[in-house]
Each structure stands twice: as structure tokens, then as C-alpha cells.
Amino acid sequence: KGAMTSHRSVVKSAAALVGEMRFIEKDIFIVPAPLFHIFGIACNLLPALASGASIILMERFHPQQILELIEKEKVTVHQGVPTMFLKELEVGNPQEYDLSTLRAGIVGAAPITASQMKRIREELGFNLLQSYGTSETASLTINGYEDDENAILETLGRPIEGVEIKIVDEKRNSLPTGEIGEIAVHSFGNMKGYYQLPEETAKVMDAEGFYYTGDLGKLDEQGNLHFVGRKKELIIRGGYNIYPQEIETVLKLHPAVSEAAVIGMPDQVLGEVAIAAIKLLEGELATEEELKAFVAEHLAKYKIPSGILFVDEFPVTASGKIQKAKLKMQLEKK
């Protein structure tokens, strides 16, 4: 689907990020994200232009080259998807490079665990914040520099100026604070619609101008948004709801695991079961039984994956997100 994004949407989004992140003319951005992606244009290119900052564009992402460029060009702003930062930590010891000029950045476009967030902030040594947005809306939320560490590590922050977020049930009724439901957004950044797909547009936009994201989340007492997962990725196993991200978060805590993705597969008895695909860290070993036992230490029995498969690489988009539809096709063959 082609989301028709307005000029006003990306410009106002950029201006909001300049204010929230305090970008200035002396900043130097390194931009490994593709500019045809909403994260590349609305969170990187335009905020840099709006603040008069310098921009280093990369033809394609390479973790070691990023670290070298940060040192050489005295980069101050580094933004990307979780995979990018994690690969930078994997290429070697970041302390071998002078990253002292790094000041700030946002991570977005895909979920990240609190432990991964903490590790990146500490090992790369800069004030990385979380942000949430979609192709249909541009930027929506961001942490604040002054937020306490738990809020920065565990939430997507609060709505930026001009954005209203509500959590709704299946009938699109608003839910109270703390309850999980679909994230709905009223924003200056909402798309005009899907290109030449009026019926698809009508499914996700209502008469009041709210866009229904298909993402599941909740709001806490401080107004911070917590991401729970994709509505269409919800696994219903024998009547129990399983949110894949919850299992993925636990699997990523295992010292041998580099990346994890959980998908639902059909089952004749239970209707659906959870299957986990695991990429191990280089040189590390783990068995299916070991990882299942690890999940059992943290989650209820019905959330333990019915199967665990090991992969060398995940299919990803140009922006670094795991393509779960392609992954499901690959796992079905296995």
C-alpha cells in the first residue's frame, strides 16, 4: 500500500524533532537509513536540514564504517533501527574508536528490548532515545532527555506536540490507562490515504480523523506509550493470547542469542502455536531444549514456543526490519 504523506506532515514532524532533540547548526548527522523510508526522511534528512546541520549520507549500512566515520567526521547525531546499533556492538569493541563527539539520537522503526537499549547507550556512550511512528503518520512519540532511565529504556515516550494517542478495543472504544489495545492516532502527520485504495483507507481512518495503526500498546500513568506488538501477529493458542514480542524480549536476554523472531503457525489441535526463529551470536551455541527452558523461567507455560529453529540470517527490509511474512514462508519449508 502506498501511504500518501503530505509535505506538511514531514516538515512539521521534522520541526518537532528539532525541538525535542535540541538539534543545532553545529550538529553532524550520520544517516545510514534509506531516504525513501519515513524514518530516513522525517527523522533524519529533514531535521538535519531544518537545524542547518551537516549530513553524512551512506550508500548502504556497514557497522564498522559507521564507527570509523563517527571518529573521523566527529559525528554528534546517530539515529537508526535497533539492528544497526546492535551490529555496531558486534563488530568489535566500540572503545577502540573515539566516539566522544556522539551526543544524541533516536532508535525507531522496530521494537527494542530494555536490555539492548541500556547496552547501546552505555557502550556507545550517548543519549539514545526511543521514538514511535508509522509510514502513515511520521513521528508520534519520543522520550525526553530528562525522563528517568526506566522510561527511556522501557517506553516509547510521550506524544509530540500536535499528536493525540488513544488505546481502543475491538469496537474502537477507548480503554483506560494500563489496558492493552490498538493504538489510534490523531495527528498533523496522518496520511491523506492509501494511493488508489479508498476501501483500504476507510478500514484504518475514521470520520474524526483517527488513524488505527494495527499496533497493540498501552499508556501508563505518565502518558508514556508502551509497544506490545502487531495486532495481526497476535497468536491465539487454544484460546490464550500470545504476544510474540513478549517471547522475543525474553529470548534476547539469553547470552547466546543475537536476534529472535516469533511467528504463529497453524496447529490442528490448538489452532495456532508459537514458533521461534533464532540467530545466535557468532561463536555461541545453544539447543532448542535449553532455550525453551530459559523461556519457561520467565513466562507462563503456554507461552513457551512449540518449536525453535536456528537461522543464519533473517530476511529484512531496506530499513532493517525483519520481514515476518517472508520468514514464515521460509520456516514453513523447514
Side-chain angles (χ1 to χ4, degrees), residues 274-293:
I275 302 292
I278 302 291
K279 180 185 174 185
L280 296 174
L281 288 165
E282 194 171 339
E284 296 288 344
L285 296 172
T287 65
E288 179 176 6
E289 292 72 25
E290 179 187 344
L291 292 175
K292 284 183 176 180

Side-chain angles (χ1 to χ4, degrees), residues 129-143:
L129 304 176
Q130 295 199 61
S131 177
Y132 171 71
T134 71
S135 296
E136 292 87 348
T137 62
S139 299
L140 295 168
T141 70
I142 192 169
N143 300 134

Side-chain angles (χ1 to χ4, degrees), residues 233-235 244 262-266 272-275 328 332:
E233 291 175 4
L234 177 69
I235 300 166
V262 174
I263 60 171
M265 295 288 246
E272 227 179 353
V273 293
I275 302 292
K328 187 170 184 174
E332 281 171 346

Side-chain angles (χ1 to χ4, degrees), residues 1-141:
K1 297 190 288 289
M4 295 188 289
T5 306
S6 70
H7 182 81
R8 176 174 179 260
S9 164
V10 290
V11 168
K12 284 199 73 172
S13 179
L17 285 180
V18 169
E20 296 283 351
M21 299 292 290
R22 302 168 198 166
F23 294 143
I24 57 173
E25 191 176 342
K26 291 180 181 178
D27 276 322
I28 300 171
F29 282 64
I30 189 161
V31 183
L35 301 185
F36 58 76
H37 189 275
I38 195 72
F39 187 70
I41 190 168
C43 298
N44 282 282
L45 179 64
L46 288 178
L49 289 173
S51 55
S54 302
I55 309 171
I56 300 169
L57 293 173
M58 299 183 72
E59 180 69 25
R60 62 179 63 245
F61 169 77
H62 188 280
Q64 190 168 338
Q65 189 183 16
I66 284 220
L67 297 175
E68 291 168 355
L69 283 169
I70 291 171
E71 179 179 78
K72 180 184 174 185
E73 303 292 345
K74 304 193 185 317
V75 170
T76 63
V77 178
H78 180 15
Q79 312 196 122
V81 300
T83 305
M84 292 176 177
F85 293 112
L86 295 170
K87 284 190 176 292
E88 287 165 29
L89 298 184
E90 283 181 22
V91 295
N93 190 347
Q95 276 123 19
E96 293 174 8
Y97 301 89
D98 181 4
L99 309 179
S100 59
T101 56
L102 267 188
R103 179 180 70 79
I106 58 175
V107 58
I112 186 169
T113 68
S115 59
Q116 288 173 335
M117 189 73 182
K118 185 176 178 69
R119 187 177 164 220
I120 295 165
R121 280 166 59 90
E122 288 178 353
E123 293 191 31
L124 295 183
F126 76 119
N127 208 342
L128 185 67
L129 304 176
Q130 295 199 61
S131 177
Y132 171 71
T134 71
S135 296
E136 292 87 348
T137 62
S139 299
L140 295 168
T141 70

Side-chain angles (χ1 to χ4, degrees), residues 198-213:
E199 290 181 3
E200 291 296 315
T201 301
K203 290 178 186 176
V204 296
M205 304 282 286
D206 68 14
E208 296 175 1
F210 273 91
Y211 165 68
Y212 295 83
T213 63

Side-chain angles (χ1 to χ4, degrees), residues 171-222:
K171 295 180 179 178
R172 295 187 173 175
N173 297 314
S174 293
L175 291 170
T177 299
E179 287 200 25
I180 295 172
E182 184 175 7
I183 302 169
V185 180
H186 194 287
S187 167
F188 59 80
N190 283 7
M191 67 174 180
K192 294 180 176 181
Y194 291 122
Y195 181 64
Q196 294 186 350
L197 293 172
E199 290 181 3
E200 291 296 315
T201 301
K203 290 178 186 176
V204 296
M205 304 282 286
D206 68 14
E208 296 175 1
F210 273 91
Y211 165 68
Y212 295 83
T213 63
D215 288 336
L216 296 169
K218 63 181 180 180
L219 291 168
D220 62 25
E221 296 289 347
Q222 288 71 46

